[in-house]
Amino acid sequence: MNPRGPTSGAVKSASLRRRLAASHLLLAVCSLVVVSAYLVPALVRLQTERYEQAVLGQARMAARMLQHYQQEGLTLAQLDEIAGALAWRQEIYIGVKDADGRPPATSRWAAEGPVPPEVAAALRGAPMPVAVRYDPVLHDMRLYAAAPMLAQGRVTGVVQVSVPRVWMRDVLMRVWEALGTALVLGALAAWVLGAWRARRLSAPVQALARAADRISHGDLDSRAVVAGRDEIGHLAHAFNTMGDQLRKQLDALAQERTKIDAIVSSMTDAVVATDGAGRLLLLNRAARDLLGLDARNVGHPAGDVLRDHAVLRGLERTIRLGTDSAEEFTVGTGAEERLFHLSATPLRAGAGPVSGAVAVVRDVTDLRRAERLRRELTANVSHELRTPLTSIKGFTETLLAGAWADEETCRRFLTIIDAEATRLMTLVDDLTALSRLESRAAPLQFASVRLDVLAADAVSRLHPQAERQSVALDAAPAPAIMVTADGNRIMQVLTNLIENAIHFTPGGGRVDVAVRADGAEAVVSVSDTGRGIPADDLPRIFDRFYRVDRSRSREAGGTGLGLAIAKHIVEAHGGRIAVRSRLGRGSVFSFTLPLAAAEVPPRGSLRPATR
Ligand SMILES: Nc1ncnc2c1ncn2[C@@H]1O[C@H](COP(=O)(O)OP(=O)(O)O)[C@@H](O)[C@H]1O
Ligand SMILES: [Mg+2]
């Protein structure tokens, strides 16, 4: 797997986790700040009030005590001294003022200036005679509280208490500390809890991300394992279903592709496709053979490997014009020349632009040749039929015109008409035989046949004919040779060949028939010492109606179909037929037949091939 995959997924989800945790923290800090914003002033106010109350309480207690002493007759200066001694800490000042708010003359505290507001408030009987101000003597901010001394409901003086304001600050400091600790602990708890929640929340997302990553890297069987019925659970379920669908679709696509590949590659027609840029997209086996390419050429520019091949021209034209095109072209020259039919179709996705072209090339050489042969056959047959028919018609008309009156002429003409009719019948028989062979209407009746016996039979049957022509006909002695063949058909081949040999050999010549085994084949040869066949005619000698000397062959009742029939029969048996000939010296026609299985000597055997 790509090492980048899981890492990037992890990074993504780690940042998601961090963001989730951070948002938890932010939330916690925000709420703590908001709470503090309301709580701190309230707490400060509360603490300040409590502190002021405490100082005021001290003042009231001192006043209660000192008013008692005053009633016993102590002077203000004496009271002030007692008050000074009541201070429980050094920086605390406790002093006494008269009913006008003035200190006794003995007081250490300055008497000038206006009456302080707390003293004035205490004299008035206000509920909270407290004040905070700068003390010019002690150079300090201080808290002042005053309480009246009473006698029979009248204010007889005031006790003033003052403490440094710093002390109050110390008290407040503890509040601040507690708050700070709460803030830090709260944030810490929020961070820990947030991280834990974030991990739990992000784990399924992380699992999904990992699965998606694996799928994107080709592991289509990867699924996200996510429990839970929340949105992420739903998402994971949908994701997994999507994965299944993807897998199915891809499998179907692959299957389809395999099918198409199999079809295209097994096609005997060559299939070549190029993309819009002229690169080879596809070459099936037939195309590789036809164009002399191999599979490595796929993906390369077609122009480089095909140069100016007709296939390339066809593909380029189709891409350029965006329409189907068809043409025929030849490859090779002379006997090697092959004719090909090319049809090309543009490739386009839907109604989009042309993105390439595919060409199918078919070898139509044999098709065209067969068409030509069929045309020739029709022409030949008509021609062959016309000659005897013309002859019959001519003689009949002559007879009807009055020649019948002369018995001698009548007999001669009728004999000719009979011969021509026989020729017609032979021709029709041969044509029928040939067409039955070609259409395989009459299947071969295979059986085990002694080929040597068959040859001897044919020779003895044709002996009278050979004798009539003063030709010596002989079968060379042969061992028993077994073939699996249709005996009647092979007899027909033998008869055709031997009849030809007798026919084209002048009196005094010889015709020899020999049978032998050669490897896995039996070979039959019919040799004569006749006039031979010109080399130019040899290649076409087995064609239908082909005769070296038309008139002589016809004279002898030949149809020109004998060798064609022989060739057909031999090839239907899986054999070959051939001819060697030297003009004026004679010809050798030979054909092979596969030996019956039991006859084939084992490979590498030194035993002679014949028995
Ligand atoms: N043994 C042979 N020697 C010389 N020419 C032959 C021989 N066999 C066949 N041919 C030539 O081949 C031609 C075709 O033979 P075939 O197909 O049997 O037709 P047909 O015998 O009716 O003429 C003959 O017309 C003849 O010219
Ligand atoms: Mg013949």
Side-chain angles (χ1 to χ4, degrees):
M1 213 200 207
N2 192 326
R4 223 197 78 240
T7 323
S8 68
V11 165
K12 265 179 249 150
S13 51
S15 83
L16 173 71
R17 214 164 67 202
R18 209 173 305 139
R19 283 217 296 272
L20 270 171
S23 67
H24 271 92
L25 184 65
L26 193 72
L27 211 69
V29 170
C30 273
S31 49
L32 278 172
V33 165
V34 169
V35 167
S36 306
Y38 280 93
L39 209 59
V40 167
L43 278 175
V44 167
R45 219 177 308 118
L46 199 72
Q47 283 297 327
T48 312
E49 264 172 26
R50 274 188 57 189
Y51 197 76
E52 286 171 356
Q53 289 286 359
V55 176
L56 191 62
Q58 302 292 339
R60 283 190 178 141
M61 222 161 75
R64 201 66 58 76
M65 206 172 90
L66 290 175
Q67 88 186 10
H68 192 69
Y69 287 132
Q70 196 181 30
Q71 278 165 16
E72 283 181 359
L74 264 68
T75 63
L76 207 62
Q78 283 169 322
L79 288 176
D80 190 48
E81 216 175 297
I82 296 168
L86 281 176
W88 64 97
R89 248 176 99 172
Q90 212 185 347
E91 292 93 335
I92 296 175
Y93 157 73
I94 305 180
V96 181
K97 309 272 193 282
D98 63 15
D100 296 327
R102 298 276 157 209
T106 52
S107 171
R108 288 191 288 123
W109 300 83
E112 287 89 47
V115 175
E118 75 279 358
V119 174
L123 287 174
R124 271 201 318 274
M128 275 291 282
V130 176
V132 175
R133 70 174 172 279
Y134 184 73
D135 185 293
V137 181
L138 293 170
H139 307 293
D140 194 10
M141 283 299 282
R142 295 185 74 94
L143 173 69
Y144 293 90
M149 293 184 289
L150 303 170
Q152 284 101 40
R154 274 194 319 110
V155 177
T156 53
V158 170
V159 175
Q160 190 190 30
V161 177
S162 122
V163 297
R165 204 183 64 166
V166 173
W167 292 1
M168 196 166 78
R169 280 248 187 88
D170 290 347
V171 172
L172 282 177
M173 209 53 206
R174 282 200 296 277
V175 175
W176 281 113
E177 268 168 26
L179 260 171
T181 312
L183 206 70
V184 169
L185 284 179
L188 219 68
W191 175 255
V192 171
L193 268 169
W196 177 69
R197 281 301 299 161
R199 176 181 286 274
R200 294 220 29 182
L201 278 174
S202 70
V205 176
Q206 211 169 339
L208 259 172
R210 273 198 303 268
D213 229 45
R214 283 196 298 270
I215 287 189
S216 77
H217 284 89
D219 176 13
L220 290 180
D221 293 320
S222 178
R223 294 288 176 271
V225 184
V226 174
R229 294 154 162 274
D230 56 359
E231 288 86 341
I232 294 179
H234 277 303
L235 183 62
H237 184 72
F239 176 85
N240 289 343
T241 313
M242 196 177 72
D244 291 344
Q245 289 296 331
L246 196 66
R247 160 105 272 169
K248 260 186 230 152
Q249 302 265 343
L250 281 176
D251 283 351
L253 266 177
Q255 234 172 39
E256 207 57 28
R257 219 207 127 95
T258 315
K259 244 188 275 172
I260 291 171
D261 275 355
I263 293 170
V264 169
S265 64
S266 66
M267 272 170 77
T268 47
D269 293 352
V271 180
V272 186
T274 55
D275 61 14
R279 275 189 303 268
L280 282 172
L281 280 181
L282 182 129
L283 279 174
N284 69 351
R285 196 179 314 125
R288 295 200 290 269
D289 294 345
L290 170 66
L291 302 170
L293 302 179
D294 58 37
R296 277 170 305 184
N297 293 110
V298 172
H300 290 281
D304 291 357
V305 286
L306 293 176
R307 313 213 183 281
D308 65 340
H309 200 283
V311 172
L312 180 62
R313 288 199 301 274
L315 285 168
E316 284 175 347
R317 191 178 48 241
T318 302
I319 291 174
R320 197 172 58 244
L321 303 178
T323 54
D324 290 3
S325 72
E327 66 169 312
E328 289 194 349
F329 62 91
T330 55
V331 171
T333 50
E336 296 282 281
E337 189 181 82
R338 312 282 307 167
L339 180 67
F340 291 95
H341 179 269
L342 172 143
S343 57
T345 309
L347 292 174
R348 41 163 69 96
V354 176
S355 62
V358 59
V360 178
V361 184
R362 171 171 294 180
D363 185 344
V364 291
T365 318
D366 295 337
L367 196 73
R368 294 284 182 274
R369 184 180 294 152
E371 281 169 6
R372 199 191 66 228
L373 286 178
R374 214 174 2 257
R375 275 199 305 276
E376 278 176 11
L377 179 68
T378 318
N380 281 332
V381 169
S382 333
H383 179 77
E384 294 292 333
L385 290 174
R386 173 163 285 277
T387 320
L389 285 173
T390 312
S391 167
I392 290 172
K393 186 151 178 61
F395 285 108
T396 316
E397 278 171 359
T398 316
L399 283 175
L400 287 174
W404 60 272
D406 178 41
E407 197 180 327
E408 181 57 24
T409 314
C410 186
R411 181 176 297 279
R412 201 156 51 81
F413 282 12
L414 284 176
T415 310
I416 296 171
I417 290 172
D418 180 54
E420 293 292 359
T422 309
R423 252 173 63 71
L424 273 179
M425 276 171 66
T426 321
L427 190 65
V428 171
D429 284 350
D430 278 0
L431 275 173
T432 312
L434 201 59
S435 89
R436 282 170 74 85
L437 278 169
E438 278 185 340
S439 65
R440 299 194 173 79
L444 300 176
Q445 306 290 324
F446 281 105
S448 288
V449 182
R450 284 272 304 266
L451 194 56
D452 52 317
V453 174
L454 217 57
D457 269 6
V459 166
S460 58
R461 266 195 227 177
L462 292 168
H463 245 294
Q465 199 177 324
E467 250 161 41
R468 270 201 301 280
Q469 306 225 353
S470 317
V471 170
L473 172 60
D474 277 310
I481 290 180
M482 218 45 147
V483 291
T484 306
D486 184 331
N488 291 333
R489 298 287 171 81
I490 298 300
M491 182 55 111
Q492 197 179 349
V493 174
L494 284 163
T495 311
N496 282 357
L497 294 182
I498 298 169
E499 272 187 339
N500 279 352
I502 295 170
H503 183 75
F504 296 106
T505 302
R510 294 190 51 79
V511 173
D512 286 291
V513 180
V515 184
R516 64 190 166 86
D518 183 6
E521 293 177 324
V523 184
V524 181
S525 58
V526 179
S527 36
D528 63 61
T529 58
R531 58 180 180 152
I533 303 160
D536 288 349
D537 294 304
L538 281 178
R540 300 198 58 192
I541 207 77
F542 294 102
D543 287 0
R544 299 177 186 112
F545 299 114
Y546 194 84
R547 282 163 290 191
V548 175
D549 182 345
R550 271 174 187 266
S551 53
R552 270 199 61 178
S553 161
R554 201 174 287 136
E555 223 171 77
T559 57
L561 292 174
L563 287 180
I565 292 172
K567 182 175 180 188
H568 246 295
I569 294 174
V570 170
E571 286 179 353
H573 280 81
R576 301 179 308 278
I577 191 163
V579 58
R580 281 179 290 125
S581 182
R582 282 174 65 192
L583 205 57
R585 303 287 286 274
S587 318
V588 181
F589 281 86
S590 57
F591 66 89
T592 65
L593 288 176
L595 283 176
E599 292 291 296
V600 182
R603 222 177 237 281
S605 160
L606 293 175
R607 202 165 54 99
T610 54
R611 270 192 279 154

